[in-house]
Amino acid sequence: MRYNLPKILLFSGAVFCALNPAFSQSILGFDAAGAQKEVALEKRFDQQLKAENLRAHMKRMSAHPHHVGSPFDRENAEYARDLLKSYGFEARIDTSYVLFPTPKTRVVELVEPTKFKASLSEPILKEDATSGQTKEQLPTYHAFSADGDVTAELVFVNYGIPEDYEALKKMGIDVKGKIVLAKYGNSWRGIKPKVASENGAIGCIIYSDPKEDGFFQGDVYPKGAFKSDAGAQRGSVLDMPMYPGDPLTPGYGATKNAKRLARTEAPTIMKIPVLPISYGDALPLLKALGGQVAPAAWRGALPLTYHVGPGPAKVHLKLEFNWDVQPAYNVIATIKGSEYPDEWVIRGNHHDGWVYGANDPLSGAVAVLEEARALGELMKTGWKPKRTIVYALWDAEEPGLLGSTEWVEERQQELKDKAVVYFNSDSNARGFLYAGGSHTLEKFLNQVARDVTDPQRNVSVADRLRAKVLVDGSPKAKQEARSRSDLRIGALGSGSDYTPFIQHLGIASMNIGFGGEDDGGEYHSIYDSYDHYTRFKDTDFSYGVALAETMGRCVLRMADAQILPFEFQNFANTVQQYAAEVKQNVESMRTQSEDHNRLLRDNQYQLAADPKEPFTQPEPMDEVPFLNFAPLDNALASLDKSATEYSQALQKSGQLPVGNVEKLNEVLYKSERYLTHPEGLPRRSWFQHQIYAPGFYTGYGVKTLPMIREAIEQKNWTEAQQGIERVSEALTQFAAQVDKATLLMK
Amino acid sequence: MRYNLPKILLFSGAVFCALNPAFSQSILGFDAAGAQKEVALEKRFDQQLKAENLRAHMKRMSAHPHHVGSPFDRENAEYARDLLKSYGFEARIDTSYVLFPTPKTRVVELVEPTKFKASLSEPILKEDATSGQTKEQLPTYHAFSADGDVTAELVFVNYGIPEDYEALKKMGIDVKGKIVLAKYGNSWRGIKPKVASENGAIGCIIYSDPKEDGFFQGDVYPKGAFKSDAGAQRGSVLDMPMYPGDPLTPGYGATKNAKRLARTEAPTIMKIPVLPISYGDALPLLKALGGQVAPAAWRGALPLTYHVGPGPAKVHLKLEFNWDVQPAYNVIATIKGSEYPDEWVIRGNHHDGWVYGANDPLSGAVAVLEEARALGELMKTGWKPKRTIVYALWDAEEPGLLGSTEWVEERQQELKDKAVVYFNSDSNARGFLYAGGSHTLEKFLNQVARDVTDPQRNVSVADRLRAKVLVDGSPKAKQEARSRSDLRIGALGSGSDYTPFIQHLGIASMNIGFGGEDDGGEYHSIYDSYDHYTRFKDTDFSYGVALAETMGRCVLRMADAQILPFEFQNFANTVQQYAAEVKQNVESMRTQSEDHNRLLRDNQYQLAADPKEPFTQPEPMDEVPFLNFAPLDNALASLDKSATEYSQALQKSGQLPVGNVEKLNEVLYKSERYLTHPEGLPRRSWFQHQIYAPGFYTGYGVKTLPMIREAIEQKNWTEAQQGIERVSEALTQFAAQVDKATLLMK
């Protein structure tokens, strides 16, 4: 998988005191002397990093397809393990056994009004050296699609998200018993067949429209980086917003002999057949559609008038899969902590790819390897981390975070006790730093970004990002970039291996990478190759090195800090913003409902409608009640007070507590656990974090204060009120932990 | 030409007391008894109108091409004159002699890197009966292009408006010595070659991108209404924002023996060759362009990656024209006023078309004829208008408002003395009322719209429009639609024959039509035919009848009013809005300039830029001074007071003044003259109105308070301050006229 698209506009404020060298040496978690030593250590770390190593690893690891269950997947795992061992880590492979479907039969054909059979293939290109290894490549498909053989009229459903079905309803169109054709974009792909199925569709085809992913964006491969008319996007459609990981072992490790659900009982496997196709294959289907012209916002860049259907296009979709259990090889390497061996700083990236995976995931994985080598070099000079460092290269991320999730589930109690933090990366490219994660780490990350130099512009990566926000940000982001001392980081939804750590266990996490100046349409295709990466992405691996410098600092500071560098004022400020948003949502919905019902009562919709177009009188909207936000406001006020007191106590102490440091640090890193609830979110108990979750109807996209926000969106007012109370309790408990830490500082 | 696109979102508020029949009979300008009589008269008027007559006239008048100088143009003029005579009007043809270039040679060809010759032709379609009259049709061209024979590299310039050249500058691209390729849209077409020429281009090609005008919008002709890949848009590129009308006789009538400028001296003739082409012809040109990928907002719907160039595409453009003087036949028909023969109520629409002109202009022209017939029927029953009614069908509108402008210029003093008002229509179709004009007529027009029934929904056309705004308007428009008693009308820029009346002479004017529910890509092509119109526009001519009902009421009320129905509070309120906008513009520019200069000083632009893309450090912006808006605020305050006092006096009088009615009415209708200034606008003295003008760089698009607004946009602060003073004087003089009217009421 990959990171969500660059989060630069979330990361939106910074006034660094770059001109004050004294301040620039201040590091959260270290006293003055400790910080000086740390700066010197980090300098030595940086000196070890070599771009050519990243290049060599990528070339080696992308030489053959390395999806789950392939021989080269295992070879890569062993290669990484052996490298890590050679760097001085204790390294091993932890194996899980996960369901991983691969296709046996794939047919998409237009059967009426004309005949056309989709090619479903990606051509060999002389400019792309590995593209010809057709026998080793997994074909284009959606992992965890249902088996199926269906023939039905086609309906074009835009992105296939819930609001598109609302629009279809207004147009008088029902997809029941139909096959839907959806565009990639605007949601994680797995949402599209899920919503299609909820609406009664019997099959789903997803294509990449050249508007979002093809010639509209730029010249196509191999002339340029973008998707050609034969490119199709593989990917998982496992219902990860319910729970990620092996669908047969929900909530526990997929060990060899674990008790497994029957496949038919597994709720996260898609209920209908679904397949990705290229825009070349989509064109004849779209051309064959009749019915109403699609709304303007639905139309893509293909040279035709987009119609919605249903029919006269009729499509036959036939899919059969091998439903095999395959080994997932997680490479785990550790350096034991010298003072606190039972405090773990974990850093990971997956290693499996859909095909060659040069960008996704190797661009991040090779940074992991080079960081590890640099740590090894530091160890040779006598340095030892205070805390245990765990480096992980996950397998089976692509089909649904299977490797990391099963590994986490298998050892959840140990992780709850010992994991201080989890740092994740995935794909990495040229451009701007993006970072998302626990806001208790926002200040920490800002200091790291202050101390890493951008390879192209020779200012800190923080300053370069701030420049981008000041020049291209929204008015609000620009304003904040001038007035707020820290850049904002995004919140985490899902889409990479941080999910089991933060969402399931409440381990503070951070996802980091660079991007925004790379081009591409190679995502999850055979063209995500070494050739493509070295032409269009981080061509000289300088941002791979920048990622290693960034992550290296994260790991080193967290492993050696005197007081763990969690900070709570930014967190409190962020949650206040989320609370303001959900309140605003309720108010907007109330106004919208009142306006709508008034227009309906006065028959204005009908008067305004074109009598020559189909018209359906809309339904009246329910009145929006007033919710009691007082518990949340009280919890936020108390959190704010606690956060301020902790900062003051920390400042007073000069970052050296007089009390029990070990106890203090434990309180600090376990504080995030108090933001979880054992019952999790409604109807998806695996997701226990009460502040961040992937949206049930957005997929990767985060919903903050998810229980409150999604209940409001779904107009479930009772649940929204319960959510307010649950979140308020969590925040109150969390604030109590912050108070505990403050007391321990004194 | 045609109306600007439907102004429905300008027309944005209404709470009519439709449930109060007493109020619904109240008519501005009539006392209670007069209003009752007027309602009965209008009912009789409506009863005369027959859709079948409109259809028959359109079929007859669109049977052959009828551009200026064609035999059928003259036949149509004589047909209309004879009809108007038969209805009881005194009717004549007033002839002007105007320059009207037609093409001799048209060549567009790609000469490098491959060869392609543009077809420049519109195919014959069996579904379109008149499309085969190829010998009579004017080919696709731009009237008042320069002759020229140029070969140069091509540059794609988006819409070719000033901000596009700013963007090109940032990309490091200069069009000097190049041929530019611009898309239709976002400005009047004549702006594109003008701005290209100002930037040093030596030729200009304008194509219709299917995004705005083609398959992206809907199925193409003849399957649907939209433009096919062979459709190209004819039109004038005369520099009308400088002055419209015959370019050789600026400011005076183009009589047979008038003194004429040499063609080379005429400032409104384009300086470079320019030609319209279809998207079929544009495709090979765009495909042959290299260089940078065009910014996302520039890309259209053709199946390619839009590049900007320059080159490697090199284009040969060769154009030669016949520069003939042709007769323009304005049909003028009058009914002499029984009480005030020297007060003229003028109603017009042009009759010339680019080819068949079924929609543009015949859909409006046939309503004019039917209105006239209905007035004739009323005369047969003994009715006579108090004031003189003048019905006009203008010729030579398409090449640049030549017919109406020369007619007005020839008799400007008489019109200044006698013209009470000018009512214009042009194309007309199915949908919603749109109206633009002098805001002293806003309340009057609202009452008319209250009393005309929408043919599809059986509510008033005002109520239907209000519903549209309430359902689809902007938040601000919706808000106003709930709270303001009158719907807002738009302001007039240019694009049809009202221009000489309002802009040059200060005669209160109104432009009215229906639209928004019709489809089409036929504009200024051979497919603007009877066949196209009756399939896709106002298929049953019911909105043609609605236009006649609307315009008939306008004419009847204005001709028979006891006190002329001008009203000043809505005008004052509107000008206050304009003043707030220009002030806001200055403030935004100040903030923008400060922000920009700070970013520049801190080198943020460079830091944010992609080092692999060309980068040009932007220029610093001038500081924005504080302007003295006090004169304008004072003038507006005084206007507001005067307007309120007049309304109070009118209400007290029960619409029957005790003083000199004739004098009062003269003050009322001449008040608009005080909004003009004899020196006109800077560098375009022909445009004398100080409140409304077409934008110098938008063409049709209006600029309100033009001297102030355009000086601000062009950062000419001295001229902006002079503009504030000039507008303030005009408003003060205008307010004095309103005071005079109030005194005469007493």
Side-chain angles (χ1 to χ4, degrees):
Chain A
M1 247 161 278
R2 70 170 167 188
Y3 54 92
N4 301 342
L5 286 176
K7 279 286 192 301
I8 51 168
L9 296 187
L10 289 170
F11 205 5
S12 61
V15 180
F16 290 102
C17 299
L19 299 175
N20 181 343
F23 181 80
S24 79
Q25 304 298 316
S26 137
I27 300 178
L28 209 61
F30 296 85
D31 64 10
Q36 211 177 339
K37 234 175 98 184
E38 177 66 17
V39 166
L41 182 73
E42 290 173 4
K43 199 174 169 189
R44 286 198 286 134
F45 177 85
D46 288 353
Q47 285 163 351
Q48 304 303 328
L49 302 169
K50 294 196 171 47
E52 285 318 302
N53 290 337
L54 278 75
R55 181 189 295 276
H57 292 318
M58 182 183 283
K59 182 140 200 182
R60 162 74 172 73
M61 296 175 79
S62 66
H64 292 273
H66 51 99
H67 51 270
V68 188
S70 67
F72 204 63
D73 175 68
R74 178 172 192 146
E75 271 191 52
N76 273 346
E78 290 168 351
Y79 171 74
R81 178 196 60 196
D82 296 345
L83 277 177
L84 289 161
K85 265 190 191 161
S86 76
Y87 301 153
F89 283 63
E90 284 182 38
R92 65 180 193 271
I93 290 177
D94 286 345
T95 308
S96 298
Y97 298 86
V98 296
L99 186 64
F100 180 62
T102 52
K104 274 197 302 205
T105 306
R106 298 176 309 140
V107 174
V108 174
E109 53 190 359
L110 187 66
V111 295
E112 287 179 21
T114 52
K115 304 277 183 197
F116 164 76
K117 186 160 182 173
S119 82
L120 308 179
S121 72
E122 297 163 295
I124 301 168
L125 299 172
K126 67 177 189 313
E127 296 85 349
D128 192 285
T130 48
S131 62
Q133 301 170 353
T134 45
K135 287 203 181 147
E136 301 172 58
Q137 297 159 3
L138 275 182
T140 51
Y141 79 112
H142 284 141
F144 299 106
S145 157
D147 285 331
D149 185 351
V150 291
T151 301
E153 281 189 319
L154 193 66
V155 179
F156 173 54
V157 296
N158 193 27
Y159 295 111
I161 57 178
E163 66 193 65
D164 295 324
Y165 290 90
E166 302 261 324
L168 285 169
K169 200 175 160 194
K170 280 186 196 158
M171 297 163 81
I173 295 168
D174 189 351
V175 302
K176 205 167 172 193
K178 313 289 188 205
I179 295 174
V180 302
L181 177 64
K183 285 190 293 192
Y184 265 107
N186 246 359
S187 81
W188 170 63
R189 79 182 76 74
I191 299 302
K192 299 166 198 286
K194 172 160 112 175
V195 178
S197 170
E198 286 176 0
N199 280 278
I202 60 172
C204 178
I205 300 168
I206 310 179
Y207 82 102
S208 304
D209 195 286
K211 177 83 183 282
E212 285 93 7
D213 192 7
F215 62 74
F216 185 86
Q217 296 293 332
D219 292 317
V220 303
Y221 199 58
K223 184 185 175 197
F226 292 93
K227 192 175 248 92
S228 77
D229 63 359
Q233 186 194 121
R234 289 160 189 75
S236 175
V237 293
L238 189 72
D239 194 0
M240 282 184 278
M242 179 170 281
Y243 63 86
D246 180 35
L248 306 183
T249 59
Y252 55 94
T255 54
K256 197 150 206 165
N257 301 313
K259 197 178 164 220
R260 285 177 162 74
L261 299 181
R263 182 150 60 82
T264 49
E265 294 166 338
T268 56
I269 298 176
M270 217 27 71
K271 305 292 171 292
I272 58 173
V274 50
L275 195 76
I277 64 172
S278 66
Y279 56 84
D281 279 341
L283 186 66
L285 306 188
L286 283 162
K287 273 195 175 158
L289 278 172
Q292 295 172 61
V293 173
W298 290 29
R299 303 170 199 163
L302 288 169
L304 53 87
T305 305
Y306 285 72
H307 287 259
V308 174
K314 191 180 256 189
V315 165
H316 174 217
L317 171 65
K318 183 176 179 190
L319 299 174
E320 287 178 307
F321 299 92
N322 299 302
W323 292 93
D324 296 334
V325 169
Q326 297 283 4
Y329 303 112
N330 293 322
V331 183
I332 306 294
T334 57
I335 307 173
K336 201 170 181 177
S338 58
E339 289 187 36
Y340 312 116
D342 285 342
E343 293 182 8
W344 294 1
V345 174
I346 313 173
R347 153 72 172 123
N349 197 106
H350 71 102
H351 70 77
D352 66 305
W354 270 120
V355 195
Y356 303 100
N359 181 48
D360 179 7
L362 295 179
S363 58
V366 297
V368 167
L369 291 173
E370 188 63 359
E371 284 162 49
R373 196 185 62 77
L375 293 178
E377 293 299 317
L378 293 184
M379 284 199 286
K380 286 184 193 164
T381 67
W383 166 80
K384 278 186 177 174
K386 286 200 178 83
R387 297 182 178 81
T388 294
I389 291 175
V390 182
Y391 264 62
L393 285 165
W394 311 113
D395 198 358
E397 191 263 8
E398 291 298 0
L401 318 178
L402 309 187
S404 58
T405 300
E406 297 311 317
W407 190 85
V408 166
E409 287 177 348
E410 198 178 331
R411 39 191 69 73
Q412 48 191 296
Q413 194 50 55
E414 189 172 19
L415 286 166
K416 278 187 192 171
D417 291 342
K418 298 180 179 171
V420 170
V421 70
Y422 175 66
F423 293 118
N424 190 71
S425 60
D426 197 323
S427 310
N428 190 65
R430 191 170 67 90
F432 301 91
L433 176 68
Y434 63 85
S438 301
H439 288 83
T440 53
L441 296 172
E442 184 173 84
K443 195 170 273 300
F444 167 79
L445 193 273
N446 269 269
Q447 289 190 342
V448 169
R450 173 198 67 191
D451 296 339
V452 174
T453 301
D454 179 83
Q456 295 183 118
R457 291 293 189 191
N458 206 29
V459 295
S460 75
V461 297
D463 279 355
R464 182 150 199 247
L465 177 59
R466 180 179 48 150
K468 184 70 177 169
V469 175
L470 286 170
V471 171
D472 291 331
S474 69
K476 185 165 170 272
K478 285 181 182 179
Q479 173 56 31
E480 215 171 41
R482 285 197 211 98
S483 59
R484 191 172 189 261
S485 63
D486 289 322
L487 289 158
R488 283 198 188 277
I489 63 171
L492 289 179
S494 188
S496 195
D497 295 300
Y498 50 78
T499 290
F501 292 93
I502 184 166
Q503 314 288 6
H504 192 48
L505 298 191
I507 294 164
S509 298
M510 186 67 67
N511 187 49
I512 291 173
F514 290 89
E517 291 181 327
D518 56 301
D519 287 339
E522 82 296 341
Y523 179 58
H524 288 192
S525 78
I526 64 167
Y527 310 117
D528 183 1
S529 62
Y530 180 79
D531 286 338
H532 189 286
Y533 192 86
T534 52
R535 274 183 69 196
F536 298 114
K537 302 279 179 179
D538 179 24
T539 54
D540 61 1
F541 292 86
S542 59
Y543 279 96
V545 171
L547 178 62
E549 291 181 0
T550 307
M551 283 301 203
R553 271 169 181 69
C554 286
V555 168
L556 287 170
R557 291 184 189 186
M558 203 51 88
D560 283 346
Q562 292 154 311
I563 301 176
L564 283 171
F566 292 92
E567 190 276 343
F568 306 104
Q569 286 183 296
N570 284 11
F571 175 74
N573 166 266
T574 303
V575 182
Q576 272 159 3
Q577 285 201 332
Y578 298 157
E581 284 166 15
V582 297
K583 286 179 193 173
Q584 183 52 50
N585 288 0
V586 178
E587 288 315 304
S588 303
M589 286 170 77
R590 180 173 299 114
T591 309
Q592 197 196 356
S593 156
E594 287 166 359
D595 288 352
H596 172 83
N597 290 343
R598 183 169 46 229
L599 291 177
L600 202 58
R601 197 178 57 233
D602 298 344
N603 197 33
Q604 302 288 359
Y605 288 111
Q606 186 159 20
L607 290 183
D610 185 338
K612 295 200 176 178
E613 300 287 337
F615 173 76
T616 315
Q617 193 74 263
E619 300 287 321
M621 288 182 185
D622 289 343
E623 277 182 34
V624 174
F626 290 86
L627 297 176
N628 174 17
F629 280 104
L632 187 58
D633 291 333
N634 288 323
L636 285 168
S638 123
L639 172 62
D640 192 52
K641 186 162 160 284
S642 304
T644 306
E645 285 173 1
Y646 177 76
S647 290
Q648 286 167 346
L650 185 66
Q651 201 157 11
K652 231 182 247 172
S653 76
Q655 311 219 9
L656 267 185
V658 292
N660 182 343
V661 180
E662 198 164 346
K663 183 68 202 154
L664 169 63
N665 282 329
E666 189 184 352
V667 170
L668 287 172
Y669 79 75
K670 287 191 175 164
S671 62
E672 186 101 4
R673 313 282 190 274
Y674 291 83
L675 297 173
T676 64
H677 191 282
E679 287 175 24
L681 297 176
R683 294 165 296 286
R684 44 178 182 149
S685 59
W686 190 92
F687 283 93
Q688 302 204 339
H689 209 292
Q690 298 299 310
I691 310 298
Y692 317 114
F696 194 74
Y697 284 112
T698 57
Y700 290 172
V702 67
K703 294 283 175 179
T704 57
L705 311 185
M707 185 170 171
I708 307 174
R709 196 183 293 264
E710 294 197 321
I712 289 169
E713 287 171 357
Q714 287 151 34
K715 300 180 188 178
N716 185 337
W717 309 114
T718 310
E719 198 164 281
Q721 190 63 55
Q722 289 163 353
I724 291 170
E725 274 140 37
R726 181 168 290 180
V727 170
S728 305
E729 270 168 44
L731 290 172
T732 305
Q733 286 171 10
F734 180 83
Q737 297 303 306
V738 178
D739 291 343
K740 212 178 196 177
T742 306
L743 272 177
L744 286 163
M745 290 289 301
K746 287 178 180 166
Chain B
M1 247 163 280
R2 70 170 167 189
Y3 54 93
N4 302 342
L5 287 173
K7 279 284 192 301
I8 51 168
L9 297 186
L10 289 169
F11 206 5
S12 62
V15 181
F16 291 103
C17 299
L19 299 174
N20 180 342
F23 181 79
S24 79
Q25 305 297 314
S26 138
I27 300 178
L28 209 60
F30 295 84
D31 63 10
Q36 210 176 340
K37 232 175 101 183
E38 178 65 18
V39 167
L41 181 73
E42 291 171 3
K43 199 171 168 190
R44 284 199 287 136
F45 177 86
D46 289 352
Q47 284 163 351
Q48 304 304 327
L49 303 169
K50 293 196 172 45
E52 285 317 302
N53 289 338
L54 278 76
R55 182 188 295 274
H57 291 318
M58 181 182 283
K59 183 141 200 183
R60 162 73 174 72
M61 295 176 81
S62 66
H64 291 275
H66 51 99
H67 52 271
V68 186
S70 67
F72 205 63
D73 176 67
R74 178 174 192 145
E75 271 191 50
N76 273 345
E78 289 169 352
Y79 171 74
R81 178 198 58 196
D82 296 346
L83 277 177
L84 289 160
K85 265 190 193 162
S86 76
Y87 300 154
F89 283 63
E90 283 182 40
R92 65 180 194 268
I93 290 177
D94 287 345
T95 307
S96 298
Y97 298 86
V98 298
L99 186 64
F100 181 61
T102 53
K104 272 197 305 206
T105 307
R106 299 175 309 140
V107 175
V108 174
E109 52 191 1
L110 187 66
V111 295
E112 286 179 24
T114 51
K115 305 277 183 198
F116 164 75
K117 187 160 181 172
S119 82
L120 308 180
S121 73
E122 298 164 294
I124 301 169
L125 299 173
K126 68 176 189 313
E127 297 85 349
D128 191 285
T130 49
S131 63
Q133 301 170 353
T134 45
K135 288 202 182 149
E136 301 172 58
Q137 297 159 2
L138 274 182
T140 52
Y141 81 112
H142 284 141
F144 299 106
S145 157
D147 284 332
D149 185 352
V150 291
T151 301
E153 282 189 319
L154 194 66
V155 179
F156 173 54
V157 297
N158 194 27
Y159 295 112
I161 58 177
E163 67 192 66
D164 295 323
Y165 289 89
E166 302 260 324
L168 286 168
K169 200 175 159 192
K170 281 186 196 159
M171 298 163 81
I173 294 168
D174 189 352
V175 302
K176 206 169 170 192
K178 314 289 188 206
I179 294 173
V180 302
L181 177 64
K183 286 189 292 192
Y184 264 108
N186 245 0
S187 81
W188 171 61
R189 80 182 74 75
I191 299 301
K192 300 166 198 285
K194 171 160 114 176
V195 178
S197 171
E198 286 176 1
N199 280 277
I202 60 172
C204 178
I205 300 168
I206 310 179
Y207 81 101
S208 304
D209 196 284
K211 178 82 183 285
E212 284 93 7
D213 191 9
F215 62 74
F216 184 86
Q217 296 294 331
D219 293 318
V220 303
Y221 199 58
K223 184 184 175 199
F226 293 93
K227 192 176 248 92
S228 77
D229 63 359
Q233 185 194 120
R234 288 162 191 73
S236 175
V237 293
L238 189 72
D239 194 359
M240 281 185 277
M242 179 169 282
Y243 64 85
D246 180 36
L248 306 183
T249 59
Y252 54 94
T255 53
K256 197 153 206 166
N257 300 313
K259 196 177 164 222
R260 283 175 163 75
L261 297 181
R263 183 150 58 83
T264 49
E265 296 167 335
T268 55
I269 297 177
M270 216 26 74
K271 305 291 173 293
I272 58 174
V274 50
L275 194 76
I277 64 173
S278 67
Y279 57 84
D281 279 340
L283 186 66
L285 307 187
L286 283 162
K287 272 195 174 158
L289 279 172
Q292 295 173 61
V293 173
W298 291 28
R299 303 171 199 162
L302 288 169
L304 54 87
T305 306
Y306 284 71
H307 288 260
V308 173
K314 192 180 257 189
V315 165
H316 175 218
L317 172 64
K318 184 176 178 189
L319 299 175
E320 288 178 305
F321 298 92
N322 299 303
W323 293 92
D324 296 333
V325 170
Q326 297 283 5
Y329 303 112
N330 293 321
V331 182
I332 306 294
T334 57
I335 307 173
K336 201 168 182 179
S338 58
E339 288 186 37
Y340 312 116
D342 286 340
E343 293 182 9
W344 294 1
V345 174
I346 312 173
R347 154 73 173 123
N349 196 105
H350 71 101
H351 69 78
D352 66 305
W354 270 119
V355 195
Y356 304 100
N359 180 48
D360 178 6
L362 295 179
S363 59
V366 298
V368 166
L369 291 174
E370 188 63 0
E371 284 162 49
R373 196 185 62 78
L375 292 177
E377 293 299 317
L378 293 184
M379 284 198 287
K380 286 185 191 161
T381 68
W383 167 80
K384 277 188 178 170
K386 284 201 179 82
R387 297 183 179 81
T388 293
I389 292 174
V390 180
Y391 264 61
L393 284 165
W394 310 112
D395 198 356
E397 190 264 5
E398 292 297 0
L401 318 179
L402 309 186
S404 58
T405 300
E406 298 310 318
W407 190 85
V408 166
E409 287 178 348
E410 197 178 330
R411 42 189 69 70
Q412 48 190 297
Q413 194 49 57
E414 187 173 20
L415 286 167
K416 278 187 190 172
D417 291 342
K418 298 180 180 170
V420 169
V421 70
Y422 175 67
F423 293 118
N424 188 72
S425 61
D426 197 323
S427 310
N428 190 66
R430 190 170 67 90
F432 302 90
L433 177 67
Y434 63 85
S438 302
H439 288 82
T440 51
L441 296 172
E442 185 174 83
K443 195 170 274 298
F444 167 78
L445 193 272
N446 269 271
Q447 288 190 343
V448 169
R450 172 198 69 191
D451 296 339
V452 174
T453 301
D454 179 83
Q456 294 181 119
R457 290 296 189 191
N458 206 30
V459 295
S460 77
V461 296
D463 279 354
R464 183 151 196 245
L465 176 59
R466 179 176 51 150
K468 184 72 176 167
V469 175
L470 286 169
V471 171
D472 291 331
S474 70
K476 185 168 169 270
K478 285 181 181 177
Q479 174 55 33
E480 214 171 43
R482 286 196 211 97
S483 59
R484 190 173 189 260
S485 64
D486 288 323
L487 289 159
R488 284 199 189 275
I489 62 171
L492 289 179
S494 187
S496 195
D497 295 300
Y498 49 79
T499 289
F501 292 93
I502 184 166
Q503 314 288 7
H504 192 49
L505 299 191
I507 295 164
S509 298
M510 186 69 66
N511 186 50
I512 291 173
F514 290 89
E517 291 182 327
D518 56 302
D519 287 341
E522 82 297 341
Y523 178 57
H524 288 193
S525 78
I526 64 166
Y527 311 117
D528 182 1
S529 62
Y530 180 79
D531 285 339
H532 189 287
Y533 191 88
T534 53
R535 272 182 70 194
F536 298 114
K537 302 279 179 177
D538 180 23
T539 53
D540 61 0
F541 292 86
S542 59
Y543 279 96
V545 170
L547 178 62
E549 290 180 0
T550 307
M551 283 300 202
R553 271 170 182 70
C554 286
V555 168
L556 286 171
R557 289 181 190 188
M558 203 51 87
D560 284 344
Q562 291 155 311
I563 301 177
L564 284 172
F566 292 92
E567 190 275 343
F568 306 103
Q569 286 183 297
N570 284 12
F571 175 74
N573 167 265
T574 302
V575 182
Q576 273 160 2
Q577 285 201 332
Y578 297 158
E581 285 166 14
V582 296
K583 286 179 192 175
Q584 182 53 50
N585 288 359
V586 177
E587 288 315 304
S588 305
M589 286 170 77
R590 180 174 297 113
T591 310
Q592 199 196 354
S593 158
E594 287 167 358
D595 288 352
H596 172 82
N597 291 343
R598 184 168 46 229
L599 291 177
L600 202 58
R601 197 176 57 233
D602 299 344
N603 197 34
Q604 302 288 0
Y605 287 112
Q606 185 159 20
L607 291 183
D610 185 339
K612 296 200 177 180
E613 301 287 337
F615 173 74
T616 314
Q617 194 72 264
E619 300 286 321
M621 288 181 184
D622 290 343
E623 276 181 34
V624 174
F626 289 87
L627 297 175
N628 174 18
F629 279 105
L632 187 57
D633 291 333
N634 287 323
L636 286 167
S638 123
L639 173 62
D640 192 53
K641 185 163 160 284
S642 303
T644 306
E645 285 172 2
Y646 177 76
S647 290
Q648 287 167 345
L650 185 66
Q651 202 156 13
K652 230 181 249 173
S653 76
Q655 310 217 10
L656 265 186
V658 291
N660 181 342
V661 180
E662 198 164 347
K663 183 69 203 157
L664 169 62
N665 282 331
E666 189 184 352
V667 169
L668 288 171
Y669 78 75
K670 287 190 177 167
S671 62
E672 186 101 4
R673 313 284 189 274
Y674 290 84
L675 298 173
T676 65
H677 191 281
E679 288 175 24
L681 298 176
R683 294 165 296 285
R684 42 178 183 149
S685 59
W686 190 92
F687 283 93
Q688 303 205 338
H689 208 290
Q690 297 300 309
I691 309 298
Y692 317 114
F696 193 72
Y697 284 112
T698 55
Y700 291 173
V702 68
K703 294 281 175 179
T704 57
L705 311 184
M707 185 170 172
I708 307 175
R709 195 183 294 263
E710 294 198 321
I712 289 169
E713 286 171 358
Q714 288 151 34
K715 300 181 188 177
N716 185 338
W717 309 114
T718 310
E719 197 163 283
Q721 190 62 55
Q722 288 164 353
I724 291 171
E725 273 138 39
R726 180 169 290 179
V727 170
S728 305
E729 270 167 45
L731 290 173
T732 306
Q733 286 171 10
F734 179 83
Q737 296 303 307
V738 177
D739 291 341
K740 211 176 193 177
T742 306
L743 271 178
L744 286 164
M745 291 290 300
K746 285 175 181 168

